[in-house]
Amino acid sequence: MTLRRLHVLVTGTSSDAHTWNLMYLQLALEEAGHDVTNLGPCVPDGLLTETCVRLRPDTLVISSVNGHGHTDAARAAAAVRYDPRHDAMPIIVGGLLGTAGDPNADHTPALEAAGVTAVLEKDDLPKLMRLLAEIRAAAPAAAATAAAATPAAAAGRELEGAR
Amino acid sequence: MTAPPGTGFAGAINNTRRDGLVVVQPRMGFAEPSAMRAGLVAVRDARATTVGTITLDSYTRVGDLHSARTAVRTRTRLNGYPLCTHPDDTTRSMLSEVYGPGFPIQVRHGSARPGHIIEAMARIGLDATEGGPVSYCLPYGRTPLRSAISEWSAACDRLAEMSTPERPAHLESFGGCMLGQMCPPSLLVAIAVLEGLFFAQHGVPSISLSYAQQTQPEQDLEALAALRRLIDELLPGLDVHVVLYTYMGVFPRTRAGSSNLLDESARIAVFGGAERLIVKTVMESVRIPDVADNVAAVERAEREVRCSQQMRAAGRPPWTPSESGLYEEARTMIDAVRSLDPDLGTALHIAFRRGLLDVPYCLHPDTQGRTRSRVAPDGRLEWAHVGSLPIDGPRPAGHAVGAQELTSMLNYVADRFDSTAAAVR
Ligand code: B12
């Protein structure tokens, strides 16, 4: 049995303008065999939730490095979780979540309470890859056709809904 | 730092320029007024020729004042000072007896829609800021370029209106930095000059154009010479100075590596003839730097500036500027853009749509996104694909940059300084 490709939605947070993290994550995830939609920087909660409903990604990866991530990602995750259709979708958060140089794990309780599935440190890329591989292995094959129908953004610079 | 009364930021820089000094400035910002004040006092009193900085937080930048208010109320740490959230009187008392003729202060932000920030500055009496229709748009989010251009037109008009002959408002272009890394210097210079022309068109009386240290000092010196020549040719008779930024991309992880990179930027500032240097601290790759980190950085930069000035006086330049036709490339792009429309705002918008300006690896939807750059074996930052830019250069079919290649290019400078630092220890 061949595993179907995962559709991963990569997004920045509402106040975070950094894009190199997003570009890097997209390339790394694509090279690992996933389809990626990159929502870009400064994503308002409304655009994120609307995109989740429209594209029904298998996993949401939230990346933030500007130091507001612990608040912004919690708010964004809660907004996404508000819709029961996303109950089962893993939400993985990482980057540089605070401003004090302390571990992201310090923010895990608050982020988990808001609906985040896993909080990773900035060097935890291998762990992200492992988590996605597990999600992929567990994904129901029946969803394959639905997922194949959602076109992942081409060429790595499509900002969904940006215009 | 000393300046005659009533001259503001612009007057202060004119004085230091006359005295042959390089002004050193931090990138500092804290949410709490007491911390912000302590930082400004410490920078003023540092052993260096300094001006102050108030760096604003990201919520204020994107206009999400609700989140800024919530953070202030709940005492959540922010990545900068929420200028539009603290009551004006709080900011006035934060500044009292610090901000004044002897110690000008610049507000640095990163807002594509800066109206609320400029208004707060006007109310409080702050006269210097940073920005630009392109450079505060493309690197800073998803605001459409067209909106950023009209918002920055209005902001420039407002700065002109706020100005008096004794106290002209000052605006610095962020065009010499853009995404912080991987933008070939000719394009950085072109964007900075075009933004300078845009500011001048709107009557901003005092201007600075930036350039950020890149991957190779010889190339940086060529870029600074090109920038200076273009200022003389295209902005003659105006109050314009050059500001160098210490490296703005991925920073070294070691203290020694970070310090050596800072030192190199101070040498580039002196030998490239910059009037002002904005520094980074040893904490850059880790967290928001505190007051002590900032003071250490400005003082270290000052020492290296003085050393370099002695080297220059002794006729011992550490590098010879490269001669790669950087001026010609920048000039070609500037001329191509200016020929599109007499109004620079309109011209810039058309230029990005047609790809006559196109910043490598920029995700912003109002750009073509066809250009690519790379670090050459000798350390120069060069074009890998010139897209639709009006210049000669490679236009290969195919080749996409992979994750591994991107990381190694982004870490080129950090790795170079971390490895030599480790060798020294
Ligand atoms: C380049 C840069 C910029 C550029 C960004 C341009 C752009 N469009 O991207 C410019 C100059 C515009 C900029 C602006 C600002 N920046 Co900045 N920036 C940097 C810098 C120097 C490098 C970042 C970079 O390109 N890294 C390369 C990418 C590939 O790596 P990365 O971002 O670290 O991401 C990696 C990991 O974190 C991890 N990762 C990321 N997300 C995720 C998610 C998961 C799930 C996992 C597992 C891993 C993971 O994987 C990535 C690859 O290894 C860093 C400092 C540094 N690192 O040296 C500061 C830095 C990130 N910036 C910072 C700040 C605060 C800002 C500003 C708010 C200005 C300010 N107050 O100083 C503004 C942002 C405005 C806004 N609205 O957000 C701070 C954040 C502080 C903190 N968190 O404690 C830093 C750390 C600098 C500092 N010490 O102050 N910045």
Side-chain angles (χ1 to χ4, degrees):
Chain A
M1 188 189 93
T2 54
L3 292 174
R4 72 178 177 86
R5 296 168 72 86
L6 279 192
H7 179 201
V8 183
L9 180 62
V10 172
T11 184
T13 46
S14 62
S15 79
D16 196 334
H18 293 88
T19 50
W20 295 101
N21 48 328
L22 305 175
M23 169 162 285
Y24 175 81
L25 285 173
Q26 168 167 13
L27 291 174
L29 295 180
E30 283 173 350
E31 286 169 22
H34 306 297
D35 291 332
V36 176
T37 299
N38 186 349
L39 214 37
C42 292
V43 177
D45 296 347
L47 174 61
L48 178 60
T49 50
E50 181 264 315
T51 309
C52 287
V53 170
R54 192 161 49 85
L55 300 182
R56 304 300 306 276
D58 298 301
T59 301
L60 173 61
V61 173
I62 303 179
S63 167
S64 177
V65 297
N66 75 349
H68 291 181
H70 62 103
T71 313
D72 288 344
R75 209 195 49 249
V80 169
R81 289 287 187 231
Y82 187 78
D83 187 329
R85 279 174 291 181
H86 304 132
D87 278 354
M89 177 179 70
I91 303 180
I92 304 173
V93 176
L96 217 55
L97 299 180
T99 57
D102 33 47
N104 290 342
D106 290 5
H107 305 288
T108 305
L111 285 162
E112 282 183 352
V116 170
T117 317
V119 178
L120 304 184
E121 300 302 325
K122 85 172 211 212
D123 301 323
D124 267 355
L125 221 60
K127 189 158 175 199
L128 174 64
M129 295 304 181
R130 267 204 314 280
L131 280 176
L132 290 175
E134 284 167 24
I135 295 166
R136 189 178 184 183
T145 35
T150 50
R157 62 180 307 276
E158 294 299 323
L159 293 193
E160 286 287 334
R163 281 169 213 263
Chain B
M1 136 132 250
T2 44
T7 55
F9 192 92
I13 303 289
N14 278 321
N15 292 338
T16 51
R17 172 175 22 208
R18 199 193 46 227
D19 298 344
L21 299 170
V22 176
V23 170
V24 184
Q25 183 178 356
R27 297 186 173 274
M28 193 175 66
F30 309 107
E32 289 272 333
S34 57
M36 192 69 246
R37 180 180 176 85
L40 290 168
V41 169
V43 168
R44 181 196 63 190
D45 297 344
R47 279 159 301 189
T49 308
T50 55
V51 294
T53 301
I54 301 178
T55 296
L56 306 191
D57 72 285
S58 294
Y59 292 130
T60 304
R61 292 162 183 247
V62 299
D64 179 4
L65 298 182
H66 168 78
S67 293
R69 250 184 350 261
T70 307
V72 167
R73 195 179 59 238
T74 58
R75 301 192 153 245
T76 307
R77 292 180 61 143
L78 290 170
N79 58 15
Y81 184 78
L83 180 72
C84 304
T85 301
H86 290 311
D88 289 347
D89 277 340
T90 304
T91 299
R92 284 191 197 100
S93 59
M94 184 274 284
L95 291 170
S96 72
E97 283 151 48
V98 191
Y99 175 50
F103 188 62
I105 291 175
Q106 186 188 32
V107 174
R108 306 184 67 85
H109 48 109
S111 184
R113 303 179 196 269
H116 58 302
I117 296 169
I118 308 280
E119 283 316 317
M121 286 174 52
R123 290 193 307 270
I124 292 158
L126 290 158
D127 63 356
T129 190
E130 186 205 15
V134 172
S135 64
Y136 262 23
C137 177
L138 304 188
Y140 282 113
R142 57 203 310 129
T143 305
L145 183 58
R146 186 190 291 282
S147 313
I149 290 170
S150 63
E151 300 270 346
W152 272 97
S153 299
C156 290
D157 294 344
R158 186 73 178 97
L159 287 169
E161 193 185 289
M162 274 160 64
S163 299
T164 61
E166 305 75 49
R167 212 149 169 277
H170 181 86
L171 181 57
E172 168 187 332
S173 161
F174 190 64
C177 181
M178 296 308 291
L179 304 190
Q181 51 207 343
M182 296 303 299
C183 183
S186 59
L187 182 56
L188 293 174
V189 168
I191 295 175
V193 170
L194 286 163
E195 286 198 328
L197 289 162
F198 177 93
F199 299 165
Q201 209 165 56
H202 286 276
V204 177
S206 176
I207 294 169
S208 50
L209 302 187
S210 60
Y211 177 76
Q213 174 185 21
Q214 301 294 323
T215 51
Q216 196 208 46
E218 290 84 351
Q219 190 182 31
D220 290 337
L221 292 180
E222 183 182 1
L224 285 165
L227 180 57
R228 182 69 67 186
R229 183 171 162 194
L230 287 160
I231 291 171
D232 290 345
E233 290 172 356
L234 302 176
L235 293 157
L238 295 176
D239 173 16
V240 184
H241 74 265
V242 170
V243 51
L244 181 78
Y245 302 161
T246 300
Y247 191 64
M248 291 293 286
V250 175
F251 225 69
R253 283 142 292 242
T254 64
R255 278 183 171 261
S258 303
S259 300
N260 292 344
L261 180 53
L262 174 65
D263 288 351
E264 185 173 284
S265 69
R267 286 196 289 278
I268 294 169
V270 169
F271 285 94
E275 284 94 343
R276 188 157 54 98
L277 170 66
I278 305 188
V279 300
K280 287 231 167 157
T281 76
V282 294
M283 283 299 131
E284 176 62 17
S285 65
V286 183
R287 58 160 166 79
I288 300 279
D290 63 21
V291 175
D293 300 326
N294 278 291
V295 169
V298 293
E299 292 190 339
R300 181 170 183 121
E302 170 88 9
R303 284 196 297 276
E304 192 58 33
V305 161
R306 292 194 184 259
C307 271
S308 303
Q309 286 172 327
Q310 281 165 14
M311 279 167 71
R312 191 181 55 191
R316 293 203 322 267
W319 307 288
T320 312
S322 55
E323 290 176 25
S324 67
L326 202 158
Y327 161 82
E328 288 75 12
E329 217 170 87
R331 176 88 209 209
T332 305
M333 290 188 266
I334 293 167
D335 290 347
V337 176
R338 293 184 85 194
S339 72
L340 296 170
D341 196 280
D343 173 66
L344 259 162
T346 309
L348 284 166
H349 187 247
I350 301 172
F352 277 98
R353 205 177 56 217
R354 293 197 195 156
L356 297 174
L357 296 174
D358 194 2
V359 179
Y361 308 101
C362 180
L363 289 176
H364 198 286
D366 293 337
T367 68
Q368 281 204 352
R370 288 184 58 221
T371 57
R372 287 291 177 260
S373 54
R374 64 178 165 236
V375 182
D378 65 354
R380 300 173 51 75
L381 189 51
E382 63 178 22
W383 293 107
H385 198 307
V386 293
S388 309
L389 297 179
I391 57 172
D392 294 332
R395 290 187 171 85
H399 183 78
V401 175
Q404 188 49 51
E405 192 187 345
L406 183 70
T407 324
S408 71
M409 293 193 301
L410 290 176
N411 284 285
Y412 172 83
V413 168
D415 290 346
R416 175 157 72 89
F417 281 87
D418 280 338
S419 61
T420 52
V424 168
R425 278 212 223 111

